[in-house]
Amino acid sequence: MSSRLSPLVVADGLAWGWALAAAPGAGPVAVHLYADGRRVATEHTGVALPAAIARACGKPPAGAAGFAFALPARLQDGLPHDIHVALPGGDRGSLHGPVLAYRSGPVGGNVRQQGRQFVGTVWFAQLPGRSARRAAVLKVTDAQGKVVHTQPLQPAAIADAPGYPAPFAVPADVLPDAVRRGPLHFACNGQALQGSPCVQAQALVGMLDDVAATRRISGWALDRTDLLNPLELVLRVDGQAVAWFRPNVRRPDISNYLGLPDEGLGLAGFDMPLPAALADGQRHVIDVVSAADGQPLSNGRQPVQLPRAGLALQAAQPAVLPPVRRRWPQPVVSVVILNRNGHDVLQAFLHSWARHNTTVSAEVIVVDHASTDASLALLRQWRGRLDLQVLALDHNGSFSASSNLGASRARGQYVLFMNNDIIWLQDALPRLLESLHNPQVGVVGIKLLKVVGESRAGGQFASEVQHLGVRFRLNHLGYWPYEVEPSAPHDEAEHAPQCVPAVTGAVLLCRKSDFDAVGGFDPAYFYGYEDVELCLRLAYRLGKTVVCRNDSVALHHHGHTRLSGREMSIYDRVMRNSAVLESHIGVWIKQAYWRSLVSGDGYITREPLTIGIVVDSPARNTPLWGDALALAAQLRTALPHAQVRLLPPDRDWKNAEGLHVLLVADPRYDIRALHHARSDVLTIAWPRGKAALGPQLAWWDEFGAVLEPARGVAAGDALVQLLGPQRWRLRVRLQVNEQSPPGALADAQRLQKHLRAQGLSCWVKVAGHDDERPTMVDVCVTIGPLAAQTENGMLQLAWAGGAAPLPGAAWLAEQMEKRVGSTFRSS
């Protein structure tokens, strides 16, 4: 008997359901409640469900199987939340129930301060009608509940994930002076907004004097919203904070300029000596900013280069001692590093590794690619300080071949592949190994910071996040890997481990046994994509996951390893990596991306599935508007991770930018004239009633699918079934070329009609005729023999035409299953 969970039912602020444990008679079952992916509460079964609840979620198999959760206060904000319950994992893992899209009310929003105004958005679950729009008013109240400002709101006609947005801006100057510094409460229709109450932040104004001329840090600063408010400032040198201070002198000139008595301004000036580090003869950049929000003073960022007093004498360099022979313990980890003329970055890595790697025994294997600088001499100096092997090649090899060579010499249980331009910032290896202690994890990476600026004086680096893992996104007619950054528009776990399809080979840890089992790095690649392909191959052949430990960090001098010491012929080999990757995973990734997108699992891609529904009138009072609103509501329940947009004629009707699915019910909407459409957009015809939307349209064959719900089936359910990630996505191109037999075009059109009748997206392409709008294709069926050169990103098939049997959708799906199933089989 298996464990079971009912759907959730929300009523009267409680989430109800029932659960059944796998073992009969096990007593009450612990049930966890998750909100937006985080566990927020735990309850136990044993609650008797009210009759109405039992009818809604299904009669429980046992009288004591019910449970009830009081929904947390943070869910009562009027915004959409995903909630579900789960049974804790046992030998078979956790059992998660279906996700329920919950919203406590029809209105929700947020507010924040932006400069001298408060800005935010209120979302409405449905567009307010004419009578209800009078109630769509933003109210601002003070700490005593007195209304100090009101502002009508106008929701947009196009919905996004939380609903119909109504952005607003409230200038601070319209609020009474008496309440401006206190807490301000923002609400709409009685619903408090996230971020409320707001306390107005300071508005910094001030000036930093010319540091080079005065030889001092001097100037003035004040808070424009409260002239008596004491400010805290930060002095930074080369981006590094060196002093925190407050204005400490009076500035009568500023008081006079503002027309204030001295006592009306307080201490606005500051004056302090230069930090001694600036008087070193080197060029520095200094700035003074607010400690509260980093806002700089006017003239607050200045380059400074002050002459150094006196003559500095350098201390004599210590003699280089011969290496000390040591017996090293059996390594747990073998670090494999490639190097070519990388003396400086390699030296920085070795120093950082010796300093920070203190708890795990490790050997370092350096494969040197015929360096002509001092790299080999440097490595000889380090042999007495680290368990170090050097494999010196007489040629500049590839990343794959040399990494495989280094791994073959590894004595550790784990192999850590690292670039020579990595700086180890912490003892991160124990955390990386912690993930591999889980047998379900096969590869581990780390958050990488890339160097974006460098101080000549003290070796201080400015950096930003380069890598939180690797995912895939659209690139012309395929999907390509990219390194995820926190600036990406979709949430990534910047400070916690997360599962990803791949990690970069700059820091990649795996078990040596797993690496050997899948054949190591593929030598077909030359410095590009071999790390991505290895992660995918290892994950899918061994059934394991890839984790990026974003709770640990290393610094990366990005590009040194790939770009140092290369001839032009080698650059050509690097560029060919794209073709190799496409030949290996081009067919597979199209199916994997679509399934990840529709399911909303956030794995291959974190883009939200975005569905556009074309509506027919700016008046918003037609039957199509009502049907579109009803469909949008159904989709919010069936696909809570998706975003739905309504496209009326008065809002850039043909702009399909960012849409993955476009639903068209208006026969006036010519899909051949879309603007900014993705190459993978799925256009769906939605015939309704007596609307003239059908095969008589000139662009009917351009649609990728037709939505025709069976009697009694809601349009939303039918659309979800049509998009279902469990199905193979088969966008078929019927290719007619020079080698095709006579009558091939007529055969292609006959096959197109046959496949379209079976629900497939299908287009005819004649060689030499350019596409007006390039369309992504999964399957290419050539009428006649296959050409010698074929595109790797598609399943390539041939059909003889003429009297040969027509291939059907089931046969194409079978061929796709075979092709995708064999993607990671070969070593």
Side-chain angles (χ1 to χ4, degrees):
M1 179 179 178
S2 60
S3 300
R4 296 169 60 189
L5 269 173
S6 76
L8 276 179
V9 175
V10 176
D12 300 325
L14 298 177
W16 305 78
W18 56 261
L20 189 67
V29 179
V31 184
H32 301 318
L33 176 67
Y34 288 80
D36 300 323
R38 298 179 59 187
R39 195 171 88 185
V40 296
T42 300
E43 294 285 355
H44 290 80
T45 57
V47 177
L49 300 181
I53 300 296
R55 286 194 298 270
C57 66
K59 185 178 180 181
F67 59 80
F69 284 92
L71 294 176
R74 73 181 188 87
L75 300 183
Q76 312 301 330
D77 57 5
L79 293 175
H81 297 278
D82 292 339
I83 61 173
H84 75 279
V85 292
L87 300 183
D91 294 339
R92 299 184 180 181
S94 301
L95 172 65
H96 288 260
V99 175
L100 174 67
Y102 170 72
R103 190 168 190 164
S104 61
V107 177
N110 55 42
V111 62
R112 70 185 189 281
Q113 184 180 350
Q114 181 174 295
R116 292 280 298 159
Q117 60 183 355
F118 297 95
V119 300
T121 303
V122 174
W123 285 276
F124 295 83
Q126 294 184 342
L127 279 175
R130 291 182 179 274
S131 59
R133 292 191 184 188
R134 297 178 182 175
V137 175
L138 177 74
K139 291 185 178 181
V140 184
T141 56
D142 61 14
Q144 287 72 42
K146 180 182 177 181
V147 177
V148 296
H149 178 75
T150 61
Q151 185 171 311
L153 298 175
Q154 179 60 50
I158 300 176
D160 54 25
Y164 295 87
F168 63 85
V170 179
D173 294 338
V174 307
L175 303 174
D177 293 338
V179 301
R180 192 178 298 171
R181 299 298 303 178
L184 298 170
H185 298 262
F186 291 76
C188 179
N189 293 8
Q191 175 66 60
L193 306 187
Q194 286 185 356
S196 176
C198 295
V199 177
Q200 185 176 352
Q202 65 188 27
L204 177 70
V205 291
M207 174 74 71
L208 177 65
D209 296 333
D210 188 337
V211 175
T214 63
R215 297 295 188 93
R216 299 186 67 81
I217 304 297
S218 62
W220 61 274
L222 55 85
D223 183 357
R224 187 170 55 184
T225 63
D226 185 352
L227 300 180
L228 297 177
N229 179 39
L231 295 176
E232 186 170 25
L233 305 174
V234 179
L235 170 65
R236 301 189 300 195
V237 177
D238 300 325
Q240 196 85 359
V242 297
W244 284 257
F245 64 95
R246 288 184 174 181
N248 54 1
V249 297
R250 292 193 177 276
R251 288 291 299 263
D253 56 329
I254 304 299
S255 303
N256 294 335
Y257 177 77
L258 297 175
L260 297 173
D262 286 349
E263 63 272 12
L265 185 60
L267 298 177
F270 56 87
D271 185 76
M272 52 194 260
L274 288 174
L278 292 178
D280 60 358
Q282 302 293 329
R283 184 181 184 274
H284 299 277
V285 175
I286 65 101
D287 57 355
V288 175
V289 301
S290 165
D293 55 12
Q295 181 182 351
L297 298 180
S298 297
N299 199 34
R301 181 178 177 86
Q302 300 180 24
V304 177
Q305 187 168 10
L306 303 177
R308 186 171 188 171
L311 177 64
L313 297 178
Q314 291 192 350
Q317 295 295 323
V320 178
L321 298 178
V324 179
R325 300 295 180 182
R326 294 180 53 183
R327 292 181 60 86
W328 301 100
Q330 176 68 23
V332 174
V333 174
S334 297
V335 182
V336 176
I337 293 178
L338 312 188
N339 178 72
R340 176 174 170 81
N341 294 333
H343 172 274
D344 292 345
V345 292
L346 184 60
Q347 179 172 243
F349 162 74
L350 292 170
H351 278 289
S352 70
W353 182 260
R355 177 181 179 186
H356 291 291
N357 187 57
T358 58
T359 55
V360 177
S361 60
E363 65 173 343
V364 177
I365 303 171
V366 179
V367 183
D368 187 80
H369 286 183
S371 291
T372 56
D373 66 355
S375 293
L376 292 176
L378 171 69
L379 293 171
R380 285 194 293 270
Q381 294 174 13
W382 276 87
R383 277 180 170 164
R385 299 178 58 183
L386 295 175
D387 185 355
L388 179 64
Q389 296 185 52
V390 179
L391 307 179
L393 306 183
D394 60 0
H395 63 281
N396 188 7
S398 72
F399 180 91
S400 297
S402 294
S403 294
N404 290 344
L405 173 63
S408 70
R409 303 291 184 90
R411 295 178 293 132
Q413 180 184 355
Y414 304 94
V415 183
L416 175 62
F417 298 96
M418 294 182 67
N419 284 5
N420 64 347
D421 53 2
I422 293 292
I423 302 294
W424 212 240
L425 299 177
Q426 60 187 138
D427 193 5
L429 201 48
R431 282 188 174 178
L432 304 186
L433 290 172
E434 177 185 59
S435 292
L436 284 180
H437 292 161
N438 181 348
Q440 299 303 315
V441 175
V443 177
V444 184
I446 193 173
K447 176 166 68 177
L448 293 178
L449 306 179
K450 61 183 177 183
V451 175
V452 296
E454 186 172 341
S455 162
R456 296 186 220 166
Q460 297 292 332
F461 300 108
S463 61
E464 60 186 34
V465 174
Q466 168 204 337
H467 168 268
L468 298 173
V470 173
R471 299 195 197 278
F472 288 80
R473 62 187 171 198
L474 180 67
N475 183 4
H476 190 45
L477 294 177
Y479 303 104
W480 292 94
Y482 72 100
E483 293 178 347
V484 173
E485 302 175 0
S487 58
H490 315 298
D491 290 339
E492 297 285 349
E494 184 179 356
H495 304 291
Q498 65 176 358
C499 292
V500 290
V503 295
T504 176
V507 179
L508 187 155
L509 177 69
C510 63
R511 299 176 189 85
K512 186 175 186 301
S513 58
D514 290 345
F515 183 78
D516 293 338
V518 299
F521 289 105
D522 191 326
Y525 296 93
F526 190 87
Y527 286 93
Y529 299 132
E530 58 274 277
D531 46 2
V532 173
E533 196 271 346
L534 173 73
C535 290
L536 295 174
R537 178 157 38 94
L538 190 149
Y540 284 86
R541 284 187 59 183
L542 303 184
K544 298 185 177 183
T545 59
V546 178
V547 173
C548 194
R549 289 300 298 251
N550 295 331
D551 52 350
S552 298
V553 66
L555 186 67
H556 188 198
H557 288 262
H558 194 222
H560 184 278
T561 302
R562 182 178 300 175
L563 303 179
S564 58
R566 296 304 170 83
E567 302 83 11
M568 289 306 299
S569 61
I570 294 182
Y571 280 104
D572 294 337
R573 295 178 65 184
V574 172
M575 297 305 295
R576 287 198 292 270
N577 288 322
S578 297
V580 176
L581 182 69
E582 186 179 44
S583 69
H584 285 177
I585 71 166
V587 176
W588 169 84
I589 190 58
K590 290 178 180 178
Q591 302 299 317
Y593 178 94
W594 177 252
R595 293 183 174 187
S596 179
L597 177 72
V598 176
S599 67
D601 61 15
Y603 185 60
I604 298 294
T605 177
R606 290 225 165 170
E607 295 178 30
L609 173 65
T610 305
I611 302 171
I613 306 175
V614 174
V615 288
D616 56 356
S617 170
R620 299 162 175 75
N621 57 1
T622 65
L624 177 54
W625 267 93
D627 291 349
L629 290 174
L631 175 58
Q634 295 166 16
L635 292 175
R636 281 197 294 272
T637 299
L639 298 171
H641 56 279
Q643 294 183 357
V644 181
R645 302 179 191 168
L646 299 187
L647 306 177
D650 61 339
R651 296 294 181 93
D652 200 3
W653 208 17
K654 295 297 182 69
N655 186 355
E657 186 173 10
L659 296 179
H660 301 100
V661 178
L662 178 63
L663 202 63
V664 180
D666 192 324
R668 301 172 300 169
Y669 195 92
D670 186 346
I671 63 173
R672 295 175 297 185
L674 298 179
H675 306 316
H676 312 299
R678 294 169 56 108
S679 64
D680 62 349
V681 62
L682 174 60
T683 53
I684 302 177
W686 184 20
R688 301 167 47 262
K690 299 180 180 179
L693 186 67
Q696 75 280 359
L697 295 176
W699 57 88
W700 179 257
D701 286 344
E702 298 294 322
F703 282 108
V706 180
L707 179 65
E708 294 181 300
R711 182 180 298 275
V713 177
D717 294 336
L719 181 58
V720 171
Q721 184 178 3
L722 183 65
L723 303 179
Q726 69 281 359
R727 304 173 56 191
W728 294 107
R729 189 173 189 187
L730 299 177
R731 294 161 290 196
V732 185
R733 185 172 81 193
L734 305 179
Q735 181 72 45
V736 179
N737 54 34
E738 293 81 359
Q739 290 77 36
S740 297
L745 179 58
D747 287 339
Q749 293 169 339
R750 182 164 56 94
L751 179 56
Q752 179 189 33
K753 184 177 180 180
H754 174 68
L755 294 176
R756 279 189 168 275
Q758 298 179 52
L760 295 190
S761 307
C762 191
W763 301 272
V764 175
K765 175 70 166 61
V766 179
H769 294 195
D770 294 333
D771 294 330
E772 293 185 8
R773 182 169 63 85
T775 301
M776 185 179 293
V777 175
D778 304 294
V779 183
C780 181
V781 179
T782 300
I783 314 302
L786 285 176
Q789 297 293 330
T790 58
E791 298 176 65
N792 291 319
M794 294 183 285
L795 173 63
Q796 302 284 343
L797 302 171
W799 177 56
L806 290 169
W811 181 77
L812 293 180
E814 179 183 351
Q815 298 305 308
M816 177 62 75
E817 184 172 3
K818 290 180 180 178
R819 176 66 176 85
V820 170
S822 63
T823 298
F824 300 106
R825 298 267 175 87
S826 64
S827 58

